[in-house]
Amino acid sequence: MSKLAKFAEKNGVKYFMVSYTDLFGAQRAKLVPAQAIAGMEADGAGFAGFASWLDMSPANADLLAVPDPDAVIQLPWKPDVAWVPTVGVMDGQPVDQMPRGVLKALVARAAEQGLRVKTGIEAEFFLLTPEGDAISDPADTAEKPCYDQQAVMRRYDVIAEICDYMLQLGWGPYQNDHEDANGQFEMNWDFDDALVTADRHSFFKFMVKSVAEKHGLRATFMPKPIEGLTGNGCHAHISVWDLKGKTNVFADASDPNGLSKKGMQFLGGIMAHAKAMTVITNPVVNSYKRINAPVTASGATWAPNTVTWSGNNRTHMVRVPGPGRFELRLPDGATNPYLLQAAIIAAGLAGIEAKADPGARLDINMYTDGHSVTDAPRLPLNLLDAVREFDGDAVLKAMMGEAFSAAYIKLKLQEWQSFLGHFSEWERRTTLDV
């Protein structure tokens, strides 16, 4: 009996969602009866790759999504269904452009160097009306809504249900809060190996949307869904360990920043490749309304626009809140969970290999005094600039994989062209009377 068949028998699972995440982060799945899962586990579920955001054509052979039984998650809100992520195979060969495979390859590359990357993410989202055109709580109007006690309790049923499920799954959730925008929330759970975190991040987005729908609401991770309010970040906390996961190789108590030489080099790689990474960490047109935004209603965007790092200072792209780890504050809610982790590892390993220097630590308030920093690189202003930065970074493209990089650049340029072809209300309003 296959692993998944045994899992079904033991846990009362009737169906499996055999799932993959495409290049744009969309989750694709087939609902497979438990009686048929053994065959899928052996050979994969067949998909037409062109029908999702992958660089394929209708003439391509079947994309076979082969389940990873060690990553299966039973749906707490519908326990007769289990979700299982996959790796892609076509014509007997791995599909190099598929995000989970890109991440697995980089995890293996880090392991060859005796390194085990562990990460945690802070996923922010809005709870909107079903139509998605307004925040769902009409009483959530505070000028400074962050950590609003009353507002979080008005959405207790949704937030507590999601947190209960994470507790049930053993993820170690440890805090939930109302965030800096009206209608916005953040939920945190324990850090883990990069692939585990990516799988959980992917499932979390699915779970939050499903629970919100159950309560008659709409959840969105869109970077900037409401004009004038703080956007959805997806901050990543990064540390690197030995292969046994027992010794933090980033930690050095004798260093003023609490980071070892290898930790500083990994950080140096993030700094060196940040502009190119942005097309992955901030992958949609709307992303650049968050990281290049004017001051929000609360008084701060909480998002960077320059490549700088600091100690425990949230106004920089990277902060070092404590010894042995750092926080990358660049990513937003649209980032692909697998590509986010892959880009972090790729840039960090490139930094170690190049013995990269992260540059000087800055301790100023970048929101008020950033104009005084004249030598810090600016982050891309739009999606096209971000694509061009990635395309021009031969090192990062090679680390991420040439097949993936070519496919991603191609589809992102198509997305940009689609955006340019859109006739906006702004154009009509500002140009009709010329």
Side-chain angles (χ1 to χ4, degrees), residues 62-350:
D62 279 354
L63 165 63
L64 299 174
V66 181
D68 181 349
D70 295 328
V72 64
I73 301 175
Q74 191 169 6
L75 274 57
W77 67 95
K78 194 175 286 293
D80 54 353
V81 179
W83 175 89
V84 57
T86 62
V87 292
V89 175
M90 185 179 288
D91 291 328
Q93 299 297 318
V95 181
D96 293 339
Q97 65 176 278
M98 292 189 71
R100 195 168 186 270
V102 172
L103 174 55
K104 289 190 73 172
L106 281 157
V107 168
R109 183 163 180 167
E112 290 171 0
Q113 300 182 31
L115 303 175
R116 186 169 168 181
V117 181
K118 295 191 176 190
T119 60
I121 56 109
E122 300 175 354
E124 297 174 350
F125 59 92
F126 280 76
L127 291 175
L128 304 178
T129 58
E131 298 75 23
D133 56 359
I135 64 171
S136 62
D137 179 3
D140 190 350
T141 58
E143 184 178 350
K144 290 276 192 179
C146 204
Y147 316 124
D148 189 316
Q149 184 169 278
Q150 293 299 126
V152 76
M153 287 305 293
R154 285 196 296 273
R155 286 290 170 257
Y156 172 86
D157 289 349
V158 178
I159 302 302
E161 183 173 344
I162 296 166
C163 191
D164 284 346
Y165 292 154
M166 289 194 285
L167 287 164
Q168 182 179 328
L169 292 168
W171 290 11
Y174 56 88
Q175 62 184 16
N176 314 290
D177 66 75
H178 189 291
E179 265 299 317
D180 192 61
N182 308 104
Q184 186 186 42
F185 300 86
E186 177 181 299
M187 307 184 74
N188 306 130
W189 64 91
D190 284 346
F191 73 102
D192 213 314
D193 292 331
L195 182 61
V196 173
T197 293
D199 283 337
R200 289 177 178 176
H201 184 190
S202 184
F203 186 83
F204 177 78
K205 295 180 79 170
F206 167 50
M207 177 164 61
V208 168
K209 292 175 183 178
S210 298
V211 174
E213 288 174 2
K214 174 183 170 183
H215 288 267
L217 307 176
R218 182 172 183 175
T220 181
F221 294 84
M222 181 179 175
K224 188 80 167 179
I226 306 291
E227 186 176 2
L229 298 185
T230 306
N232 282 323
C234 185
H235 306 151
H237 291 260
I238 305 156
S239 57
V240 175
W241 302 66
D242 65 357
L243 288 182
K244 292 183 179 180
K246 301 298 183 184
T247 302
N248 184 340
V249 301
F250 268 17
D252 183 351
S254 66
D255 181 80
N257 299 299
L259 291 175
S260 67
K261 185 176 181 180
K262 197 160 276 188
M264 291 294 281
Q265 291 171 348
F266 196 105
L267 174 56
I270 297 288
M271 302 298 287
H273 299 285
K275 292 172 69 174
M277 285 174 62
T278 305
V279 76
I280 293 170
T281 56
N282 307 79
V284 297
V285 170
N286 180 256
S287 294
Y288 300 86
K289 289 181 168 57
R290 170 183 168 267
I291 63 172
N292 289 303
V295 174
T296 62
S298 70
T301 64
W302 301 107
N305 55 31
T306 52
V307 182
T308 59
W309 72 279
S310 185
N312 198 354
N313 180 336
R314 287 180 170 85
T315 67
H316 292 261
M317 188 190 80
V318 175
R319 73 170 177 132
V320 183
R325 66 184 174 98
F326 59 82
E327 177 192 36
L328 178 64
R329 297 178 59 79
L330 177 58
D332 64 43
T335 189
N336 184 310
Y338 298 101
L339 297 181
L340 168 61
Q341 302 297 329
I344 288 169
I345 297 173
L349 291 183

